[in-house]
Amino acid sequence: MSGRRHSTGFGYIGFGNNQGVFNQSSKKPFSKYKERLDLEAHLHYKIEFLHKDLSKEDKLKIKERKVNTRTSVISVLLFIILSFGVFYLISQIMSR
């Protein structure tokens, strides 16, 4: 596609009649920043970003890991609350 993208016969106040504005090729958004982030992360943190879609099994493993973490945190908090409650009740009974 070597022709013009738009006809410059019409006037647009924002850009004037600059022919170069209408004949530019569009770039992918944030492509430069994505490469820069990947380079910086690799240099500083030794992290490799994977630019691929996750499979269903990988998504399921991530969900299970989140559920297991949430369940363990809630279990520990409930155990701490119940242990303080039992300790308080025992200390009240023993003081009488």
Side-chain angles (χ1 to χ4, degrees), residues 17-59:
N17 283 330
N18 189 356
Q19 183 178 358
V21 171
F22 297 105
N23 294 331
Q24 296 177 11
S25 62
S26 61
K27 295 180 181 177
K28 291 182 180 179
F30 305 110
S31 61
K32 180 174 77 172
Y33 299 109
K34 187 176 182 183
E35 293 169 1
R36 189 171 173 188
L37 174 66
D38 191 17
L39 178 66
E40 291 292 327
H42 179 68
L43 291 177
H44 293 293
Y45 304 108
K46 305 295 185 219
I47 296 174
E48 292 286 343
F49 285 109
L50 299 176
H51 302 294
K52 64 174 187 174
D53 293 333
L54 295 174
S55 65
K56 288 184 179 182
E57 292 82 18
D58 293 337
K59 290 179 183 178

Side-chain angles (χ1 to χ4, degrees), residues 66-77:
K66 285 181 181 180
V67 168
N68 289 340
T69 304
R70 188 178 302 142
T71 304
S72 62
V73 167
I74 290 173
S75 300
V76 168
L77 288 176

Side-chain angles (χ1 to χ4, degrees), residues 8 15 25 29 33 63-66 70-71 75 82 86:
T8 59
F15 295 111
S25 62
Y33 299 109
K63 285 181 183 179
E64 287 176 359
R65 190 179 308 151
K66 285 181 181 180
R70 188 178 302 142
T71 304
S75 300
L82 286 175
V86 169

